[in-house]
Amino acid sequence: VCCSKSQITMGRLEQIVCKPRNGPSGFSDHHMIVMECIRIRNIGIMAHIDAGKTTTTERMLYYAGYTRSMGDVDDGDTVTDFMAQERERGITIQSAAVTFHWHDHRINLIDTPGHVDFTMEVERSLRVLDGAVAIFDASAGVEAQTLTVWRQADNYDIPRICFLNKMDKPTASFELSVDNIKEKLNIKPIVLQVRNSIRKVTLARAGVPLLCGSALKNRGVQPLLNAVVDFLPAPIERRHNFLQWYGNDPVALAFKVCNDQQRGPLVFLRLYGGALSAHSSIFNISRNCTERLSRLLLGFADQHVEIPQVTAGNIAIAVGLKKTVTGDTLVASKKSAIAASQRAREANTPPNEGSHEAGGIEVILPVLAGVDVPEPVFFCTVEPPSAAKQQNLDHALACLQREDPSLKVHLDPESGQTVLSGMGELHIEIIQDRIHREYGIEAYLGPLQVAYKETTTRPACVTGSLERHQAEMLHSASVELSVQPQPGAGPICITWAPSEGHVLRPEVMESVRSGIECGASQGPILGYPVQDVRVCVQSVTVNPGTSLAILSACTVQCLHKALLQAGGQILEPLMMLEILVPEEHLSCVLADLAQRRGSVFSIHARRDRQVIVGSVPLADMMGYSTTLRTLTSGTASFSLEPSGYKSMSPVEQQKLIQERTGR
Ligand SMILES: Nc1nc2c(ncn2[C@@H]2O[C@H](COP(=O)(O)OP(=O)(O)OP(=O)(O)O)[C@@H](O)[C@H]2O)c(=O)[nH]1
């Protein structure tokens, strides 16, 4: 990237503006900053791991004139994979945002990771995109992770175009890949290398344009860029209902947070309406606080260019926001949010809601739908090399957690140890590596453990009481509650039985609620969180003067008693599995899967390989890549995707309890 210092008068601000060294001529500095909305394309690149996302992005940057040479993942010198771990491993871990120009249009492009451990990274990028390019390896067709990201893009209703990459490979097949796309993605690919009605079809999502090429051999990348500009929508061509309530006021969504050693947290914003200026205040509806936006930057992978203002449809980086996290809605002021809420209500269209207190009055403010954070499936303890480093480790973990909402950190109340929870072995390994490289701490991680859950199998109703003598007074409480299994409902849900003439005081209800939540956070069998259960509070009796802490403790005991009486059941995470294996190694891979309690759903041929599709408990998949490599002399590959939780059989459950407790 070449930066030239030019002075631009925009109000009273001076800016450093980044221009392409040999990019398209005719671009004024003003153009570089203020781009008409119709000429913006916010797009993402999505695919299965290794399909060629980063290579294609590098070629786009080269042809757009933003780089002088083509970066190569195999040489570790790409623009978008700039993290040390990405360059070393040749994989994308975090989504990089790059802005460049093509045929009088600004393309804000996000290169997303393909590995299943970083699905969350793809999800939060998709949330802010207007269009996407799906890249396929023409010798493999539709692979497992492509299906996952395709479904994610369906959820956000994102218009897409397809690029069949790696057409130079001898095993590439255009026809088979197109058939595979039709069949597996259930779409009508419009095969083209030249292209106006296609745009209408793409925007209506009635078809998906498909191009082909070979990024490595520099074939088909310029037509792909032309297709991005010609077929994918501008931000104003996407319908966002909430915009009508805000009029010309700014409304933005924070979709990513990165920690920069010098500048502090960098918050990536997608601006849907209005304009935001540097050195201004903005109101965060989700956190109910006003933040100071000190600077605004345009992202060029790891390099940034300061801008005075960002307008609707753009993606920019905000500096100075201290409390904002991924998924938060930012608007001009609380007044603007309240006015938008009133407009929505007058039109009888309740928006997405966040409840807030304003001047002692509870008001409902419209927020944008945030990003779903997946449940972590693995956890382990983390310790600093010495007690003196504990504070530094806490700081590192707080920063990393703010960047990555799929990483959870909590303190185990029993052992006092810090516990890290994440999406997979690689995810936790990268976090450990980042703690070392970016924060200089040699953190020690305990063994990786599977995040089980607890639930019940039948209803139960119990009464529990607790008496304690404290300060020469008898504290006594009694709680009656029932539990009911609710498969697939997720976190515990609390209801209150109608009381006849017996109204519970708010502080009593709050104390019972916190007792239930505390009891459900550590189930009675092995201390795993309880889910898929409805708890109904039947009655609460409290002696006058009894402390609310005693009432909470009584509720925890009562809940655990009810859960055990209702047939305490451990749930274990299950993974969908796809293995590509040469015919000669099929039987040994299947035998190994059987030993891992795997279920095979289908086995079919894909060119010279057999494809095994099935499911397997996560607990039995630790270190599977090494085993598979050994069994097949490195000729097989596999992909895993979380597929919910399943009940363990009584024998498996007993084995786990014995392993964990020795009982
Ligand atoms: N033969 C051939 N190889 C390619 C082509 N495009 C990329 N590759 C190679 O495929 C491998 C993966 O390429 P990447 O660009 O890192 O793929 P990716 O999709 O970004 O990978 P992740 O970020 O790890 O998901 C590298 O070894 C590339 O050199 C192509 O058109 N033809």
Side-chain angles (χ1 to χ4, degrees), residues 45-59 72-75 78 80-81 86 89-93 111-115 135 137 163-170 213-219:
I45 296 212
M46 54 194 231
H48 187 84
I49 191 161
D50 271 358
K53 297 179 293 299
T54 307
T55 307
T56 308
T57 307
E58 290 300 320
R59 300 307 186 264
D72 197 314
V73 277
D74 305 317
D75 297 339
T78 61
T80 51
D81 283 354
E86 294 177 317
R89 293 166 192 252
I91 58 167
T92 305
I93 292 170
D111 177 23
T112 57
H115 194 284
I135 298 198
D137 178 338
F163 183 63
L164 277 189
N165 191 32
K166 306 200 181 182
M167 286 292 289
D168 59 295
K169 284 171 76 171
S214 161
L216 192 65
K217 307 277 177 191
N218 311 322
R219 294 282 184 277

Side-chain angles (χ1 to χ4, degrees), residues 280-301:
S280 64
S281 300
I282 49 175
F283 179 65
N284 181 329
I285 301 188
S286 318
R287 318 262 129 226
N288 194 18
C289 67
T290 299
E291 294 247 57
R292 178 93 189 136
L293 196 167
S294 54
R295 292 160 70 202
L296 277 171
L297 309 172
L298 266 192
F300 292 86

Side-chain angles (χ1 to χ4, degrees), residues 320-596:
L321 306 184
K322 297 203 163 60
K323 301 206 172 126
T324 303
V325 300
T326 301
D328 285 359
T329 302
L330 299 162
V331 296
S333 61
K334 193 162 198 167
K335 218 169 120 194
S336 162
I338 293 172
S341 167
Q342 275 162 0
R343 280 182 216 119
R345 241 144 269 283
E346 278 159 22
N348 227 354
T349 326
N352 261 334
E353 291 168 351
S355 183
H356 290 281
E357 224 222 27
I361 306 163
E362 191 82 354
V363 289
I364 305 292
L365 302 179
V367 293
L368 310 182
V371 180
D372 290 337
V373 180
E375 275 285 306
V377 286
F378 276 116
F379 69 93
C380 65
T381 55
V382 55
E383 278 172 25
S386 66
K389 288 268 180 188
Q390 182 67 53
Q391 226 178 348
N392 298 7
L393 178 65
D394 291 345
H395 168 73
L397 290 175
C399 294
L400 289 169
Q401 212 184 348
R402 200 172 164 201
E403 276 190 25
D404 175 0
S406 66
L407 172 75
K408 302 262 163 50
V409 181
H410 75 273
L411 213 61
D412 184 325
E414 273 168 28
S415 64
Q417 285 179 301
T418 308
V419 178
L420 276 187
S421 312
M423 299 305 299
E425 287 176 274
L426 180 62
H427 187 201
I428 301 266
E429 201 183 303
I430 295 288
I431 294 295
Q432 183 183 26
D433 197 29
R434 289 189 65 186
I435 295 173
H436 173 54
R437 288 186 203 221
E438 294 168 31
Y439 299 90
I441 306 166
E442 270 308 341
Y444 169 73
L445 297 191
L448 209 55
Q449 297 186 45
V450 171
Y452 294 95
K453 304 265 187 197
E454 297 186 18
T455 191
T456 58
T457 50
R458 50 180 188 268
C461 185
V462 301
T463 306
S465 15
L466 189 64
E467 287 188 352
R468 286 273 184 284
H469 282 279
Q470 271 179 9
E472 294 179 5
M473 191 189 140
L474 177 69
H475 295 254
S476 149
S478 160
V479 176
E480 183 189 1
L481 49 80
S482 62
V483 293
Q484 174 99 28
Q486 287 219 304
I492 206 143
C493 126
I494 306 171
T495 57
W496 303 82
S499 53
E500 287 158 17
H502 182 72
V503 180
L504 292 177
R505 283 181 288 132
E507 62 271 25
V508 167
M509 287 178 81
E510 194 42 50
S511 166
V512 172
R513 180 188 299 280
S514 84
I516 294 174
E517 282 168 1
C518 171
S521 69
Q522 289 202 305
I525 313 174
L526 283 174
Y528 292 113
V530 177
Q531 68 169 34
D532 301 345
V533 175
R534 187 157 62 92
V535 180
C536 182
V537 183
Q538 304 290 344
S539 70
V540 181
T541 318
V542 195
N543 253 16
T546 296
S547 106
L548 291 173
I550 296 284
L551 176 58
S552 268
C554 174
T555 312
V556 173
Q557 287 181 7
C558 187
L559 178 70
H560 281 188
K561 198 165 136 192
L563 290 169
L564 286 174
Q565 211 175 87
Q569 170 71 51
I570 302 227
L571 300 172
E572 66 174 334
L574 202 65
M575 304 301 281
M576 284 298 291
L577 170 71
E578 187 180 292
I579 309 173
L580 261 89
V581 55
E583 176 84 52
E584 64 268 28
H585 298 298
L586 181 64
S587 54
C588 65
V589 170
L590 286 173
D592 175 69
L593 263 187
Q595 282 186 3
R596 294 173 188 270

